[in-house]
Amino acid sequence: MLDFDVWTIVFSVINILVLFFFLKKFLFGRVNAMLEKRAQMVQADLDQAKQSTQEAEQLKSEYEATLQGARDEAKKLIATAQQTARAQGDQITAQAQQQADSMMAEAQKEIERERKRSLEGAQNEIAALALAAASKVVGSTVDSDTNREMVDAFLAEEGAAE
């Protein structure tokens, strides 16, 4: 049934070898070149993706550093504004205290002036009453200028004694 012919087997082996070398020469070289080119393209894409990732990380680091710098600057500005506000508040408080002290001193001076005017008015009233009483007691009017000087001297002595 099965009949093996040696020459048929030898020709088949030779045909297969010729076909293999022919395919290797013309087909496998091109296929391998195409596969190698495809591998290079994939490797280039991988390298580019790796480089893009590194650039993204670098940009992220720069962004974070810039953001941190902006935060620090904002903190400095806030601290400076707070210090300025405190200084202005202290200055306004000191100014208000100084004005209050000035007004208090002026009020004290005014009170002292009013007290002196009141005392002078009271002395004049007392002197007038004393002169009127002395005139009635003596029964005649004595020189009013002389009497006035005597009463003023008396009040001055009594006022100094107090």
Side-chain angles (χ1 to χ4, degrees):
M1 275 212 221
L2 282 177
D3 193 15
F4 289 107
D5 186 22
V6 174
W7 288 110
T8 306
I9 294 176
V10 171
F11 282 123
S12 293
V13 169
I14 291 175
N15 276 341
I16 290 175
L17 288 175
V18 168
L19 180 64
F20 175 74
F21 287 121
F22 180 75
L23 289 175
K24 183 179 177 186
K25 172 93 174 152
F26 294 109
L27 184 64
F28 292 154
R30 289 185 182 166
V31 169
N32 282 337
M34 189 172 63
L35 289 175
E36 184 66 32
K37 186 177 179 182
R38 180 72 178 153
Q40 287 175 355
M41 286 174 47
V42 168
Q43 187 63 39
D45 287 346
L46 288 174
D47 291 343
Q48 186 178 5
K50 193 176 195 180
Q51 183 180 3
S52 296
T53 304
Q54 288 174 348
E55 288 174 1
E57 286 295 323
Q58 183 180 4
L59 287 174
K60 180 183 174 187
S61 297
E62 289 174 5
Y63 170 75
E64 287 175 352
T66 303
L67 185 62
Q68 186 61 38
R71 285 182 182 146
D72 292 342
E73 185 68 25
K75 285 179 184 178
K76 286 179 186 177
L77 288 174
I78 289 171
T80 303
Q82 287 174 342
Q83 288 175 349
T84 303
R86 277 191 216 108
Q88 286 179 348
D90 292 345
Q91 182 181 10
I92 289 170
T93 303
Q95 238 176 6
Q97 185 64 40
Q98 186 180 17
Q99 286 177 348
D101 291 344
S102 291
M103 290 172 71
M104 199 65 148
E106 188 64 33
Q108 289 293 337
K109 288 178 185 177
E110 185 64 28
I111 290 170
E112 186 61 30
R113 282 192 293 261
E114 284 297 318
R115 188 181 70 77
K116 285 182 182 179
R117 272 190 237 140
S118 295
L119 279 175
E120 287 175 4
Q123 285 177 353
N124 289 338
E125 287 287 318
I126 291 171
L129 286 174
L131 285 176
S135 300
K136 285 190 181 190
V137 170
V138 172
S140 67
T141 306
V142 188
D143 184 74
S144 67
D145 289 336
T146 307
N147 287 336
R148 175 76 61 186
E149 287 176 8
M150 287 186 343
V151 171
D152 285 342
F154 173 74
L155 289 175
E157 285 179 17
E158 289 301 314
E162 291 177 13

